[in-house]
Amino acid sequence: EPEVTQTPSHQVTQMGQEVILRCVPISNHLYFYWYRQILGQKVEFLVSFYNNEISEKSEIFDDQFSVERPDGSNFTLKIRSTKLEDSAMYFCASSVGQGIGYTFGSGTRLTVV
Amino acid sequence: SQQGEEDPQALSIQEGENATMNCSYKTSINNLQWYRQNSGRGLVHLILIRSNEREKHSGRLRVTLDTSKKSSSLLITASRAADTASYFCATDANDYKLSFGAGTTVTVRA
């Protein structure tokens, strides 16, 4: 069964450093998403991406965050200057269409120290 | 807010028993989805029910949806130790995103 692949599975970074989280969505999917889950809290929507542009973003997705689809297969989330409160599990997801089921990756656990 | 809210927050049952958890949400939806998350791991899609459907089955899972009450339930029959996980409902209002609830933590005792 096709999978969404995320790398790395765990990343530790110093506060103020830039991090790039990588995702390979399912190949025939057209919609891409990033969500995050702070330990013990709800899964929160960050951003959706369709047709090479951001479709919607949440209040969390401020100027420190950016997304990119640099080639035909990867989808990345960049955090420019990490803060302690950015520590969370970040999930990438893709879907073939709106409301037609999502497939989530297994997540990247980001720890900011 | 669209967010689903699960009830109960935690559930402990004996292996072989059924587990039922509920989800309520606030506004119109396109569909509602249930996910499972094992401790500290990824989200696994379990089942999707569309707004024009009332009940759906998948293996030992049964999901109902009542759009007039803005609520859904997930029933796991004949539970197993491997069903121990957190279960989340998520609503899709056709606005490019899912809104998740806080989840129900299910513990199945052997």
Side-chain angles (χ1 to χ4, degrees):
Chain A
E1 188 166 330
E3 291 183 340
V4 173
T5 306
Q6 288 187 244
T7 55
S9 57
H10 191 185
Q11 180 152 1
V12 181
T13 189
Q14 294 237 318
M15 193 167 54
Q17 294 295 305
E18 174 183 287
V19 294
I20 297 176
L21 309 183
R22 301 179 193 281
C23 170
V24 179
I26 294 174
S27 60
N28 65 335
H29 284 190
L30 301 176
Y31 295 79
F32 313 111
Y33 315 84
W34 284 99
Y35 289 78
R36 80 171 186 190
Q37 184 182 33
I38 294 171
L39 188 63
Q41 297 188 23
K42 293 183 182 183
V43 176
E44 302 172 291
F45 168 79
L46 291 179
V47 65
S48 58
F49 192 86
Y50 170 70
N51 201 25
N52 284 319
E53 59 183 28
I54 290 174
S55 309
E56 185 161 349
K57 58 184 180 179
S58 71
E59 296 166 352
I60 304 166
F61 195 88
D62 61 22
D63 292 344
Q64 292 285 79
F65 292 88
S66 63
V67 289
E68 196 176 34
R69 189 155 162 80
D71 52 42
S73 58
N74 291 286
F75 180 51
T76 61
L77 174 69
K78 182 192 290 186
I79 309 174
R80 265 180 266 284
S81 177
T82 51
K83 305 170 193 159
L84 294 176
E85 55 265 36
D86 293 328
S87 295
M89 181 79 98
Y90 287 81
F91 293 106
C92 174
S94 67
S95 66
V96 65
Q98 283 178 258
I100 309 177
Y102 294 74
T103 301
F104 280 80
S106 54
T108 293
R109 182 169 296 284
L110 177 66
T111 304
V112 182
V113 296
Chain B
S1 167
Q2 278 285 2
Q3 288 181 333
E5 297 296 337
E6 289 91 341
D7 168 57
Q9 287 185 318
L11 185 59
S12 180
I13 55 174
Q14 201 73 32
E15 202 165 27
E17 292 180 340
N18 296 341
T20 300
M21 58 211 88
N22 303 296
C23 169
S24 60
Y25 57 93
K26 294 180 182 174
T27 60
S28 297
I29 59 170
N30 183 41
N31 64 65
L32 185 145
Q33 302 174 36
W34 286 91
Y35 289 83
R36 184 184 73 225
Q37 184 182 37
N38 290 80
S39 180
R41 307 292 293 276
L43 294 164
V44 175
H45 180 263
L46 294 177
I47 198 163
L48 178 152
I49 186 165
R50 298 186 189 278
S51 60
N52 62 352
E53 296 175 311
R54 292 295 165 258
E55 188 170 313
K56 207 159 181 182
H57 297 255
S58 177
R60 294 184 295 113
L61 305 180
R62 174 179 165 248
V63 168
T64 64
L65 179 65
D66 186 335
T67 52
S68 66
K69 294 182 180 176
K70 293 186 169 57
S71 67
S72 174
S73 68
L74 171 67
L75 168 68
I76 305 171
T77 59
S79 62
R80 305 167 183 168
D83 295 328
T84 294
S86 292
Y87 292 83
F88 298 89
C89 70
T91 53
D92 183 336
N94 212 32
D95 59 354
Y96 300 99
K97 64 186 181 188
L98 290 175
S99 295
F100 283 82
T104 294
T105 301
V106 175
T107 303
V108 181
R109 305 185 306 274

